[in-house]
Amino acid sequence: MPSFDYDLLIVGGGPVGASLALALASQPLRIGIIELSPQQSNIDSRALALAFGSFRIMDSIGYWADIAQEATPIEHIHISNRGYFGITHLDSTQIHLPALGYVVKMGFLNQAIYQRLKDFSQIELIRPAKVIQIQNRSNHTQVQITLNSEIHTLSAQLLIAADGAHSVVRQLLQVPVYKKDYDQTAIITNIETEHPHQFTAFERFTDTGPLALLPLAKNYSNVVWTVKSSQAPYLIEIKDEEFLSKLQDRFGNRLGKFIHADQRYAFPLQLIKTRQLISDRVVFIGNAAHNLHPVAGQGFNLGLRDIAALAEVLTNAHRQSQDLGNQAVLATYKQWRQWDHRIVTQFTDTLIHLFSNNYPLWGLSRGLGLATLDIFPPFKKVLMQQAIGLMGQQPRLVQGLSL
């Protein structure tokens, strides 16, 4: 087999791209991670809701123990519709699990992943580097990058795009995407509440979009408040007291008085979905393949299932001495992941259409639906299995097994 600089080149050193490298670290593969930022932030206070299936992936890869003490379990989920009757409660004991998921701050996750990367000499971090050209050959791909003001050309059997919603790889290859602008913006912050959250995540639907509170340490919760984009600048700029008052009005008093808010961030929301999950010697994962609305917290978890499936496909191919960039190998990955992508994308998009409006009849129907779901355990079990990432054909890492 011809010799290349790397077996795999991963563009994007975020949690998805770096986790893929760690998932494959037990294999005799040379892996390069091309990352644009000069260093990874370890103080990012934004939070991620990890489904139980994602916990299994991280545990199987080997870095869950490094973040476990900083992770807050989600034992209950409370779903409501502001201004209408009907509530659904989900409980981890209903499906015999210790938790439905966990909440961890992005900074702790980045720190754990990058600390673990140092243990593997066959994984090289190439930073700060930018991809400027991609040329696919019959038996390899060539990637031209700028690194320290110099241009370098790297080669690999396979290029993996994990470089986010506005993927440079996707743009350079002119891969078409489907886009939908929701005209919504997510306001993200952490708040302190009067009463403890009791390890409960709240998803409250309002006429401007969903409002989620995710449990953190002590009496703190992470807030993901979806508002109309025209409202976002005002909610970012007002004083904390006024912001907390308006947030309290939308959420209610289930956690008592809102006491304190950290710095606020605003993120415009779009659905961006690649129309080609694979290309010649290129595969798209994470937000480079599917950037979703944050409702139900599915996006990052979908990305982790991408790496679990891709790591298994590539491991099997390598053991059979196959070319990792071979179209048949990539087609196996594509076929495996299409169903999950389609279901989760349709699920999140449909939720936004059903719940982000103030039509009275729709509100009554939504309330009836939530109330009905709450009293039918079989329906509830299916919803929970989907929410925690344990539906469909599960990769070995999702099952808690090694590759």
Side-chain angles (χ1 to χ4, degrees), residues 313-345:
V313 168
L314 294 178
T315 297
N316 291 340
H318 180 71
R319 287 172 179 166
Q320 297 169 21
S321 300
Q322 292 181 289
D323 176 356
L324 300 183
N326 182 278
Q327 196 67 15
V329 172
L330 301 187
T332 299
Y333 169 78
K334 175 184 175 181
Q335 185 177 11
W336 193 349
R337 294 302 298 142
Q338 278 182 321
W339 180 85
D340 195 13
H341 286 190
R342 187 180 305 116
I343 292 296
V344 173
T345 301

PDB file of all heavy atoms in Angstrom, residues 313-345:
ATOM      1  N   VAL A 313     -16.768   1.521  11.463  1.00  0.00           N
ATOM      2  CA  VAL A 313     -16.614   1.209  10.037  1.00  0.00           C
ATOM      3  C   VAL A 313     -15.139   1.242   9.640  1.00  0.00           C
ATOM      4  O   VAL A 313     -14.640   0.341   8.947  1.00  0.00           O
ATOM      5  CB  VAL A 313     -17.430   2.192   9.177  1.00  0.00           C
ATOM      6  CG1 VAL A 313     -17.044   2.074   7.703  1.00  0.00           C
ATOM      7  CG2 VAL A 313     -18.923   1.938   9.348  1.00  0.00           C
ATOM      8  N   LEU A 314     -14.413   2.264  10.082  1.00  0.00           N
ATOM      9  CA  LEU A 314     -13.005   2.395   9.712  1.00  0.00           C
ATOM     10  C   LEU A 314     -12.149   1.323  10.378  1.00  0.00           C
ATOM     11  O   LEU A 314     -11.197   0.807   9.774  1.00  0.00           O
ATOM     12  CB  LEU A 314     -12.491   3.787  10.080  1.00  0.00           C
ATOM     13  CG  LEU A 314     -13.112   4.956   9.309  1.00  0.00           C
ATOM     14  CD1 LEU A 314     -12.548   6.287   9.801  1.00  0.00           C
ATOM     15  CD2 LEU A 314     -12.882   4.798   7.814  1.00  0.00           C
ATOM     16  N   THR A 315     -12.472   0.976  11.611  1.00  0.00           N
ATOM     17  CA  THR A 315     -11.740  -0.089  12.299  1.00  0.00           C
ATOM     18  C   THR A 315     -11.912  -1.419  11.574  1.00  0.00           C
ATOM     19  O   THR A 315     -10.936  -2.157  11.340  1.00  0.00           O
ATOM     20  CB  THR A 315     -12.211  -0.207  13.752  1.00  0.00           C
ATOM     21  OG1 THR A 315     -11.912   1.007  14.449  1.00  0.00           O
ATOM     22  CG2 THR A 315     -11.520  -1.366  14.466  1.00  0.00           C
ATOM     23  N   ASN A 316     -13.138  -1.738  11.204  1.00  0.00           N
ATOM     24  CA  ASN A 316     -13.397  -2.984  10.478  1.00  0.00           C
ATOM     25  C   ASN A 316     -12.670  -2.995   9.131  1.00  0.00           C
ATOM     26  O   ASN A 316     -12.101  -4.016   8.728  1.00  0.00           O
ATOM     27  CB  ASN A 316     -14.899  -3.169  10.269  1.00  0.00           C
ATOM     28  CG  ASN A 316     -15.639  -3.447  11.562  1.00  0.00           C
ATOM     29  OD1 ASN A 316     -15.031  -3.858  12.557  1.00  0.00           O
ATOM     30  ND2 ASN A 316     -16.943  -3.217  11.571  1.00  0.00           N
ATOM     31  N   ALA A 317     -12.683  -1.864   8.439  1.00  0.00           N
ATOM     32  CA  ALA A 317     -12.018  -1.777   7.136  1.00  0.00           C
ATOM     33  C   ALA A 317     -10.508  -1.957   7.280  1.00  0.00           C
ATOM     34  O   ALA A 317      -9.868  -2.662   6.483  1.00  0.00           O
ATOM     35  CB  ALA A 317     -12.340  -0.440   6.478  1.00  0.00           C
ATOM     36  N   HIS A 318      -9.938  -1.319   8.307  1.00  0.00           N
ATOM     37  CA  HIS A 318      -8.497  -1.425   8.515  1.00  0.00           C
ATOM     38  C   HIS A 318      -8.094  -2.864   8.840  1.00  0.00           C
ATOM     39  O   HIS A 318      -7.060  -3.346   8.339  1.00  0.00           O
ATOM     40  CB  HIS A 318      -8.063  -0.490   9.644  1.00  0.00           C
ATOM     41  CG  HIS A 318      -6.593  -0.534   9.926  1.00  0.00           C
ATOM     42  ND1 HIS A 318      -5.662  -0.004   9.070  1.00  0.00           N
ATOM     43  CD2 HIS A 318      -5.893  -1.076  10.967  1.00  0.00           C
ATOM     44  CE1 HIS A 318      -4.451  -0.193   9.567  1.00  0.00           C
ATOM     45  NE2 HIS A 318      -4.569  -0.838  10.714  1.00  0.00           N
ATOM     46  N   ARG A 319      -8.876  -3.550   9.636  1.00  0.00           N
ATOM     47  CA  ARG A 319      -8.560  -4.941   9.987  1.00  0.00           C
ATOM     48  C   ARG A 319      -8.628  -5.863   8.776  1.00  0.00           C
ATOM     49  O   ARG A 319      -7.987  -6.915   8.754  1.00  0.00           O
ATOM     50  CB  ARG A 319      -9.525  -5.419  11.076  1.00  0.00           C
ATOM     51  CG  ARG A 319      -9.225  -4.804  12.447  1.00  0.00           C
ATOM     52  CD  ARG A 319     -10.294  -5.119  13.456  1.00  0.00           C
ATOM     53  NE  ARG A 319      -9.961  -4.541  14.762  1.00  0.00           N
ATOM     54  CZ  ARG A 319     -10.824  -4.425  15.763  1.00  0.00           C
ATOM     55  NH1 ARG A 319     -12.086  -4.838  15.618  1.00  0.00           N
ATOM     56  NH2 ARG A 319     -10.441  -3.900  16.907  1.00  0.00           N
ATOM     57  N   GLN A 320      -9.393  -5.444   7.790  1.00  0.00           N
ATOM     58  CA  GLN A 320      -9.491  -6.230   6.562  1.00  0.00           C
ATOM     59  C   GLN A 320      -8.552  -5.703   5.476  1.00  0.00           C
ATOM     60  O   GLN A 320      -8.664  -6.079   4.310  1.00  0.00           O
ATOM     61  CB  GLN A 320     -10.934  -6.204   6.051  1.00  0.00           C
ATOM     62  CG  GLN A 320     -11.924  -6.853   7.009  1.00  0.00           C
ATOM     63  CD  GLN A 320     -13.369  -6.588   6.627  1.00  0.00           C
ATOM     64  OE1 GLN A 320     -13.666  -6.259   5.476  1.00  0.00           O
ATOM     65  NE2 GLN A 320     -14.269  -6.724   7.592  1.00  0.00           N
ATOM     66  N   SER A 321      -7.618  -4.813   5.883  1.00  0.00           N
ATOM     67  CA  SER A 321      -6.615  -4.240   4.985  1.00  0.00           C
ATOM     68  C   SER A 321      -7.245  -3.502   3.805  1.00  0.00           C
ATOM     69  O   SER A 321      -6.705  -3.493   2.692  1.00  0.00           O
ATOM     70  CB  SER A 321      -5.662  -5.333   4.470  1.00  0.00           C
ATOM     71  OG  SER A 321      -4.991  -5.951   5.549  1.00  0.00           O
ATOM     72  N   GLN A 322      -8.391  -2.878   4.038  1.00  0.00           N
ATOM     73  CA  GLN A 322      -9.055  -2.112   2.995  1.00  0.00           C
ATOM     74  C   GLN A 322      -8.550  -0.674   2.973  1.00  0.00           C
ATOM     75  O   GLN A 322      -8.081  -0.143   3.989  1.00  0.00           O
ATOM     76  CB  GLN A 322     -10.574  -2.110   3.217  1.00  0.00           C
ATOM     77  CG  GLN A 322     -11.252  -3.450   3.014  1.00  0.00           C
ATOM     78  CD  GLN A 322     -12.747  -3.352   3.239  1.00  0.00           C
ATOM     79  OE1 GLN A 322     -13.224  -3.183   4.361  1.00  0.00           O
ATOM     80  NE2 GLN A 322     -13.504  -3.449   2.153  1.00  0.00           N
ATOM     81  N   ASP A 323      -8.666  -0.050   1.846  1.00  0.00           N
ATOM     82  CA  ASP A 323      -8.391   1.373   1.689  1.00  0.00           C
ATOM     83  C   ASP A 323      -9.466   2.146   2.453  1.00  0.00           C
ATOM     84  O   ASP A 323     -10.661   2.029   2.168  1.00  0.00           O
ATOM     85  CB  ASP A 323      -8.426   1.714   0.197  1.00  0.00           C
ATOM     86  CG  ASP A 323      -8.239   3.197  -0.096  1.00  0.00           C
ATOM     87  OD1 ASP A 323      -8.158   3.997   0.858  1.00  0.00           O
ATOM     88  OD2 ASP A 323      -8.185   3.543  -1.287  1.00  0.00           O
ATOM     89  N   LEU A 324      -9.053   2.961   3.428  1.00  0.00           N
ATOM     90  CA  LEU A 324     -10.022   3.642   4.299  1.00  0.00           C
ATOM     91  C   LEU A 324     -10.863   4.668   3.553  1.00  0.00           C
ATOM     92  O   LEU A 324     -11.945   5.022   4.010  1.00  0.00           O
ATOM     93  CB  LEU A 324      -9.300   4.302   5.475  1.00  0.00           C
ATOM     94  CG  LEU A 324      -8.515   3.368   6.396  1.00  0.00           C
ATOM     95  CD1 LEU A 324      -7.912   4.140   7.553  1.00  0.00           C
ATOM     96  CD2 LEU A 324      -9.398   2.233   6.911  1.00  0.00           C
ATOM     97  N   GLY A 325     -10.347   5.159   2.429  1.00  0.00           N
ATOM     98  CA  GLY A 325     -11.107   6.130   1.650  1.00  0.00           C
ATOM     99  C   GLY A 325     -11.897   5.526   0.517  1.00  0.00           C
ATOM    100  O   GLY A 325     -12.511   6.252  -0.276  1.00  0.00           O
ATOM    101  N   ASN A 326     -11.909   4.200   0.456  1.00  0.00           N
ATOM    102  CA  ASN A 326     -12.646   3.504  -0.604  1.00  0.00           C
ATOM    103  C   ASN A 326     -14.128   3.845  -0.542  1.00  0.00           C
ATOM    104  O   ASN A 326     -14.711   3.943   0.535  1.00  0.00           O
ATOM    105  CB  ASN A 326     -12.433   1.994  -0.461  1.00  0.00           C
ATOM    106  CG  ASN A 326     -13.125   1.206  -1.549  1.00  0.00           C
ATOM    107  OD1 ASN A 326     -14.323   0.951  -1.463  1.00  0.00           O
ATOM    108  ND2 ASN A 326     -12.376   0.839  -2.566  1.00  0.00           N
ATOM    109  N   GLN A 327     -14.747   4.020  -1.697  1.00  0.00           N
ATOM    110  CA  GLN A 327     -16.147   4.435  -1.748  1.00  0.00           C
ATOM    111  C   GLN A 327     -17.064   3.424  -1.080  1.00  0.00           C
ATOM    112  O   GLN A 327     -18.066   3.797  -0.458  1.00  0.00           O
ATOM    113  CB  GLN A 327     -16.571   4.660  -3.204  1.00  0.00           C
ATOM    114  CG  GLN A 327     -17.864   5.450  -3.367  1.00  0.00           C
ATOM    115  CD  GLN A 327     -17.745   6.898  -2.923  1.00  0.00           C
ATOM    116  OE1 GLN A 327     -16.645   7.411  -2.749  1.00  0.00           O
ATOM    117  NE2 GLN A 327     -18.877   7.554  -2.725  1.00  0.00           N
ATOM    118  N   ALA A 328     -16.734   2.137  -1.186  1.00  0.00           N
ATOM    119  CA  ALA A 328     -17.571   1.104  -0.561  1.00  0.00           C
ATOM    120  C   ALA A 328     -17.535   1.221   0.960  1.00  0.00           C
ATOM    121  O   ALA A 328     -18.554   1.023   1.638  1.00  0.00           O
ATOM    122  CB  ALA A 328     -17.106  -0.284  -1.001  1.00  0.00           C
ATOM    123  N   VAL A 329     -16.369   1.564   1.504  1.00  0.00           N
ATOM    124  CA  VAL A 329     -16.248   1.750   2.953  1.00  0.00           C
ATOM    125  C   VAL A 329     -17.093   2.940   3.395  1.00  0.00           C
ATOM    126  O   VAL A 329     -17.860   2.866   4.372  1.00  0.00           O
ATOM    127  CB  VAL A 329     -14.766   1.965   3.353  1.00  0.00           C
ATOM    128  CG1 VAL A 329     -14.658   2.357   4.835  1.00  0.00           C
ATOM    129  CG2 VAL A 329     -13.957   0.708   3.073  1.00  0.00           C
ATOM    130  N   LEU A 330     -16.984   4.047   2.670  1.00  0.00           N
ATOM    131  CA  LEU A 330     -17.744   5.240   3.026  1.00  0.00           C
ATOM    132  C   LEU A 330     -19.246   5.032   2.834  1.00  0.00           C
ATOM    133  O   LEU A 330     -20.053   5.574   3.594  1.00  0.00           O
ATOM    134  CB  LEU A 330     -17.265   6.432   2.196  1.00  0.00           C
ATOM    135  CG  LEU A 330     -15.790   6.800   2.329  1.00  0.00           C
ATOM    136  CD1 LEU A 330     -15.498   8.103   1.595  1.00  0.00           C
ATOM    137  CD2 LEU A 330     -15.371   6.906   3.780  1.00  0.00           C
ATOM    138  N   ALA A 331     -19.615   4.244   1.829  1.00  0.00           N
ATOM    139  CA  ALA A 331     -21.033   3.966   1.594  1.00  0.00           C
ATOM    140  C   ALA A 331     -21.642   3.185   2.756  1.00  0.00           C
ATOM    141  O   ALA A 331     -22.821   3.366   3.089  1.00  0.00           O
ATOM    142  CB  ALA A 331     -21.206   3.191   0.293  1.00  0.00           C
ATOM    143  N   THR A 332     -20.836   2.321   3.383  1.00  0.00           N
ATOM    144  CA  THR A 332     -21.317   1.590   4.562  1.00  0.00           C
ATOM    145  C   THR A 332     -21.666   2.561   5.684  1.00  0.00           C
ATOM    146  O   THR A 332     -22.702   2.437   6.348  1.00  0.00           O
ATOM    147  CB  THR A 332     -20.236   0.601   5.046  1.00  0.00           C
ATOM    148  OG1 THR A 332     -19.959  -0.327   4.006  1.00  0.00           O
ATOM    149  CG2 THR A 332     -20.714  -0.157   6.284  1.00  0.00           C
ATOM    150  N   TYR A 333     -20.785   3.546   5.903  1.00  0.00           N
ATOM    151  CA  TYR A 333     -21.062   4.565   6.909  1.00  0.00           C
ATOM    152  C   TYR A 333     -22.314   5.360   6.567  1.00  0.00           C
ATOM    153  O   TYR A 333     -23.190   5.579   7.412  1.00  0.00           O
ATOM    154  CB  TYR A 333     -19.860   5.505   7.047  1.00  0.00           C
ATOM    155  CG  TYR A 333     -20.174   6.731   7.869  1.00  0.00           C
ATOM    156  CD1 TYR A 333     -20.229   6.657   9.257  1.00  0.00           C
ATOM    157  CD2 TYR A 333     -20.448   7.957   7.258  1.00  0.00           C
ATOM    158  CE1 TYR A 333     -20.545   7.780  10.016  1.00  0.00           C
ATOM    159  CE2 TYR A 333     -20.756   9.078   8.013  1.00  0.00           C
ATOM    160  CZ  TYR A 333     -20.802   8.979   9.387  1.00  0.00           C
ATOM    161  OH  TYR A 333     -21.124  10.077  10.135  1.00  0.00           O
ATOM    162  N   LYS A 334     -22.409   5.792   5.316  1.00  0.00           N
ATOM    163  CA  LYS A 334     -23.558   6.591   4.888  1.00  0.00           C
ATOM    164  C   LYS A 334     -24.861   5.850   5.106  1.00  0.00           C
ATOM    165  O   LYS A 334     -25.832   6.410   5.648  1.00  0.00           O
ATOM    166  CB  LYS A 334     -23.407   6.952   3.412  1.00  0.00           C
ATOM    167  CG  LYS A 334     -24.601   7.687   2.817  1.00  0.00           C
ATOM    168  CD  LYS A 334     -24.406   7.923   1.330  1.00  0.00           C
ATOM    169  CE  LYS A 334     -25.647   8.550   0.704  1.00  0.00           C
ATOM    170  NZ  LYS A 334     -25.482   8.762  -0.750  1.00  0.00           N
ATOM    171  N   GLN A 335     -24.905   4.604   4.708  1.00  0.00           N
ATOM    172  CA  GLN A 335     -26.133   3.816   4.854  1.00  0.00           C
ATOM    173  C   GLN A 335     -26.517   3.660   6.319  1.00  0.00           C
ATOM    174  O   GLN A 335     -27.700   3.709   6.671  1.00  0.00           O
ATOM    175  CB  GLN A 335     -25.939   2.455   4.198  1.00  0.00           C
ATOM    176  CG  GLN A 335     -27.199   1.588   4.186  1.00  0.00           C
ATOM    177  CD  GLN A 335     -26.964   0.281   3.446  1.00  0.00           C
ATOM    178  OE1 GLN A 335     -25.838  -0.076   3.122  1.00  0.00           O
ATOM    179  NE2 GLN A 335     -28.039  -0.439   3.168  1.00  0.00           N
ATOM    180  N   TRP A 336     -25.523   3.493   7.157  1.00  0.00           N
ATOM    181  CA  TRP A 336     -25.766   3.313   8.588  1.00  0.00           C
ATOM    182  C   TRP A 336     -26.351   4.583   9.219  1.00  0.00           C
ATOM    183  O   TRP A 336     -27.251   4.518  10.041  1.00  0.00           O
ATOM    184  CB  TRP A 336     -24.452   2.951   9.267  1.00  0.00           C
ATOM    185  CG  TRP A 336     -24.597   2.432  10.673  1.00  0.00           C
ATOM    186  CD1 TRP A 336     -25.714   2.455  11.460  1.00  0.00           C
ATOM    187  CD2 TRP A 336     -23.577   1.807  11.448  1.00  0.00           C
ATOM    188  NE1 TRP A 336     -25.458   1.879  12.683  1.00  0.00           N
ATOM    189  CE2 TRP A 336     -24.152   1.473  12.704  1.00  0.00           C
ATOM    190  CE3 TRP A 336     -22.248   1.502  11.216  1.00  0.00           C
ATOM    191  CZ2 TRP A 336     -23.423   0.860  13.715  1.00  0.00           C
ATOM    192  CZ3 TRP A 336     -21.515   0.878  12.221  1.00  0.00           C
ATOM    193  CH2 TRP A 336     -22.105   0.557  13.456  1.00  0.00           C
ATOM    194  N   ARG A 337     -25.851   5.738   8.812  1.00  0.00           N
ATOM    195  CA  ARG A 337     -26.195   6.968   9.510  1.00  0.00           C
ATOM    196  C   ARG A 337     -27.408   7.693   8.940  1.00  0.00           C
ATOM    197  O   ARG A 337     -27.984   8.554   9.607  1.00  0.00           O
ATOM    198  CB  ARG A 337     -24.997   7.932   9.486  1.00  0.00           C
ATOM    199  CG  ARG A 337     -23.818   7.439  10.262  1.00  0.00           C
ATOM    200  CD  ARG A 337     -24.157   7.182  11.724  1.00  0.00           C
ATOM    201  NE  ARG A 337     -24.573   8.405  12.394  1.00  0.00           N
ATOM    202  CZ  ARG A 337     -25.534   8.475  13.311  1.00  0.00           C
ATOM    203  NH1 ARG A 337     -26.212   7.409  13.667  1.00  0.00           N
ATOM    204  NH2 ARG A 337     -25.837   9.621  13.864  1.00  0.00           N
ATOM    205  N   GLN A 338     -27.829   7.390   7.736  1.00  0.00           N
ATOM    206  CA  GLN A 338     -28.902   8.157   7.096  1.00  0.00           C
ATOM    207  C   GLN A 338     -30.193   8.140   7.899  1.00  0.00           C
ATOM    208  O   GLN A 338     -30.864   9.165   8.036  1.00  0.00           O
ATOM    209  CB  GLN A 338     -29.154   7.623   5.680  1.00  0.00           C
ATOM    210  CG  GLN A 338     -28.187   8.146   4.643  1.00  0.00           C
ATOM    211  CD  GLN A 338     -28.500   7.632   3.253  1.00  0.00           C
ATOM    212  OE1 GLN A 338     -28.878   6.472   3.066  1.00  0.00           O
ATOM    213  NE2 GLN A 338     -28.351   8.483   2.264  1.00  0.00           N
ATOM    214  N   TRP A 339     -30.570   6.998   8.418  1.00  0.00           N
ATOM    215  CA  TRP A 339     -31.849   6.884   9.132  1.00  0.00           C
ATOM    216  C   TRP A 339     -31.849   7.781  10.370  1.00  0.00           C
ATOM    217  O   TRP A 339     -32.807   8.536  10.598  1.00  0.00           O
ATOM    218  CB  TRP A 339     -32.109   5.434   9.526  1.00  0.00           C
ATOM    219  CG  TRP A 339     -33.407   5.233  10.253  1.00  0.00           C
ATOM    220  CD1 TRP A 339     -34.639   5.044   9.715  1.00  0.00           C
ATOM    221  CD2 TRP A 339     -33.582   5.217  11.689  1.00  0.00           C
ATOM    222  NE1 TRP A 339     -35.580   4.905  10.716  1.00  0.00           N
ATOM    223  CE2 TRP A 339     -34.972   5.016  11.924  1.00  0.00           C
ATOM    224  CE3 TRP A 339     -32.725   5.345  12.776  1.00  0.00           C
ATOM    225  CZ2 TRP A 339     -35.497   4.937  13.214  1.00  0.00           C
ATOM    226  CZ3 TRP A 339     -33.247   5.283  14.063  1.00  0.00           C
ATOM    227  CH2 TRP A 339     -34.626   5.077  14.261  1.00  0.00           C
ATOM    228  N   ASP A 340     -30.796   7.707  11.161  1.00  0.00           N
ATOM    229  CA  ASP A 340     -30.716   8.512  12.383  1.00  0.00           C
ATOM    230  C   ASP A 340     -30.739   9.993  12.044  1.00  0.00           C
ATOM    231  O   ASP A 340     -31.447  10.786  12.687  1.00  0.00           O
ATOM    232  CB  ASP A 340     -29.434   8.151  13.144  1.00  0.00           C
ATOM    233  CG  ASP A 340     -29.430   8.655  14.587  1.00  0.00           C
ATOM    234  OD1 ASP A 340     -30.500   9.066  15.078  1.00  0.00           O
ATOM    235  OD2 ASP A 340     -28.362   8.634  15.218  1.00  0.00           O
ATOM    236  N   HIS A 341     -29.993  10.398  11.034  1.00  0.00           N
ATOM    237  CA  HIS A 341     -29.986  11.808  10.614  1.00  0.00           C
ATOM    238  C   HIS A 341     -31.391  12.262  10.224  1.00  0.00           C
ATOM    239  O   HIS A 341     -31.845  13.340  10.626  1.00  0.00           O
ATOM    240  CB  HIS A 341     -29.049  12.004   9.423  1.00  0.00           C
ATOM    241  CG  HIS A 341     -27.605  11.962   9.792  1.00  0.00           C
ATOM    242  ND1 HIS A 341     -26.601  12.309   8.915  1.00  0.00           N
ATOM    243  CD2 HIS A 341     -26.975  11.612  10.940  1.00  0.00           C
ATOM    244  CE1 HIS A 341     -25.431  12.181   9.510  1.00  0.00           C
ATOM    245  NE2 HIS A 341     -25.627  11.752  10.738  1.00  0.00           N
ATOM    246  N   ARG A 342     -32.056  11.452   9.428  1.00  0.00           N
ATOM    247  CA  ARG A 342     -33.382  11.831   8.926  1.00  0.00           C
ATOM    248  C   ARG A 342     -34.382  11.953  10.072  1.00  0.00           C
ATOM    249  O   ARG A 342     -35.135  12.937  10.159  1.00  0.00           O
ATOM    250  CB  ARG A 342     -33.865  10.806   7.906  1.00  0.00           C
ATOM    251  CG  ARG A 342     -35.169  11.205   7.199  1.00  0.00           C
ATOM    252  CD  ARG A 342     -35.593  10.144   6.196  1.00  0.00           C
ATOM    253  NE  ARG A 342     -34.539   9.865   5.229  1.00  0.00           N
ATOM    254  CZ  ARG A 342     -33.920   8.689   5.118  1.00  0.00           C
ATOM    255  NH1 ARG A 342     -34.242   7.689   5.924  1.00  0.00           N
ATOM    256  NH2 ARG A 342     -32.990   8.512   4.208  1.00  0.00           N
ATOM    257  N   ILE A 343     -34.398  10.973  10.956  1.00  0.00           N
ATOM    258  CA  ILE A 343     -35.359  10.975  12.062  1.00  0.00           C
ATOM    259  C   ILE A 343     -35.147  12.170  12.985  1.00  0.00           C
ATOM    260  O   ILE A 343     -36.100  12.879  13.352  1.00  0.00           O
ATOM    261  CB  ILE A 343     -35.266   9.657  12.863  1.00  0.00           C
ATOM    262  CG1 ILE A 343     -35.760   8.479  12.025  1.00  0.00           C
ATOM    263  CG2 ILE A 343     -36.064   9.753  14.164  1.00  0.00           C
ATOM    264  CD1 ILE A 343     -37.221   8.544  11.638  1.00  0.00           C
ATOM    265  N   VAL A 344     -33.906  12.415  13.387  1.00  0.00           N
ATOM    266  CA  VAL A 344     -33.623  13.490  14.341  1.00  0.00           C
ATOM    267  C   VAL A 344     -33.867  14.855  13.703  1.00  0.00           C
ATOM    268  O   VAL A 344     -34.427  15.761  14.335  1.00  0.00           O
ATOM    269  CB  VAL A 344     -32.177  13.380  14.866  1.00  0.00           C
ATOM    270  CG1 VAL A 344     -31.816  14.601  15.719  1.00  0.00           C
ATOM    271  CG2 VAL A 344     -32.018  12.106  15.687  1.00  0.00           C
ATOM    272  N   THR A 345     -33.476  15.026  12.445  1.00  0.00           N
ATOM    273  CA  THR A 345     -33.715  16.299  11.754  1.00  0.00           C
ATOM    274  C   THR A 345     -35.203  16.587  11.647  1.00  0.00           C
ATOM    275  O   THR A 345     -35.665  17.709  11.936  1.00  0.00           O
ATOM    276  CB  THR A 345     -33.073  16.290  10.359  1.00  0.00           C
ATOM    277  OG1 THR A 345     -31.667  16.068  10.484  1.00  0.00           O
ATOM    278  CG2 THR A 345     -33.310  17.608   9.651  1.00  0.00           C
TER     279      THR A 345
END
